[in-house]
Amino acid sequence: MQKYDDPQVIARLAALKTMTVKELKAEWSKLMGSDAPNNSSQFMIQRLSYRIQELAFGGMSKPLVRTLDALADEYEGKKVRKSVIADPRNPIIGTRLVRGWNGTEHTVTVMKDGFDWNGQRFKSLSAIAKTITGTNWNGYRFFGLRAAERGAR
């Protein structure tokens, strides 16, 4: 089990708050391997605090980084990174989802790497639901999809 109250780490973190901007920039160069991007002591203290803890206790796991990258792609509506979030609620490729909204019928086709609606590709059903309604929706709920029952296939 990891011990997160290492006195040396705590002392290094506390020391950051007493440093001048010049000292913080020197610490930045040492820990980050580059020049500090600005002169904001608050910015440098926050980033250096994270880096000190990351070096002492480890950073984010690779699966977490991949998940965060995929979520960022989904949020940004573009696919820059290679990862894809697999959701068990996704229907079989080729399935057509139909939903009425304000008197208009909307049809979405499930694709291998996303969804097609009106000739546009989307990474998530939530993005389509937001485009249709103008408000945030859980896309699976909007299109009437539920999580699979436990033990069911």
Side-chain angles (χ1 to χ4, degrees), residues 93-104:
I93 295 169
T95 301
R96 295 178 71 205
L97 307 171
V98 180
R99 170 67 150 88
W101 183 260
N102 287 341
T104 303

Side-chain angles (χ1 to χ4, degrees), residues 5-149:
D5 60 351
D6 183 321
Q8 290 179 329
V9 172
I10 293 171
R12 285 187 75 188
L13 296 174
L16 292 175
K17 293 185 177 187
T18 64
M19 291 182 177
T20 65
V21 170
K22 185 176 180 178
E23 292 168 327
L24 287 169
K25 284 184 160 195
E27 190 72 8
W28 185 284
S29 292
K30 185 170 77 175
L31 291 175
M32 305 293 204
S34 65
D35 292 337
N38 61 47
N39 291 327
S40 169
S41 59
Q42 265 317 105
F43 173 84
M44 288 187 283
I45 289 169
Q46 289 174 350
R47 299 314 178 278
L48 289 170
S49 295
Y50 179 86
R51 182 69 177 143
I52 289 168
Q53 293 174 79
E54 179 183 40
L55 291 170
F57 307 123
M60 295 185 288
S61 68
K62 287 185 181 185
L64 177 59
V65 170
R66 281 193 299 271
T67 299
L68 291 173
D69 283 345
L71 287 170
D73 282 347
E74 186 172 314
Y75 179 78
E76 295 165 359
K78 57 186 173 186
K79 185 170 176 149
V80 176
R81 299 148 192 101
K82 298 282 185 207
S83 56
V84 175
I85 297 174
D87 193 310
R89 296 172 292 182
N90 283 349
I92 296 169
I93 295 169
T95 301
R96 295 178 71 205
L97 307 171
V98 180
R99 170 67 150 88
W101 183 260
N102 287 341
T104 303
E105 189 175 272
H106 299 275
T107 303
V108 172
T109 304
V110 179
M111 309 299 278
K112 180 179 179 184
D113 58 348
F115 305 91
D116 180 85
W117 174 70
N118 287 347
Q120 293 179 287
R121 296 293 285 241
F122 289 83
K123 294 289 298 160
S124 72
L125 289 172
S126 297
I128 297 170
K130 183 174 184 175
T131 302
I132 291 169
T133 66
T135 59
N136 289 326
W137 272 84
N138 176 304
Y140 296 102
R141 178 169 286 150
F142 182 80
F143 286 99
L145 300 174
R146 301 281 181 237
E149 297 289 326

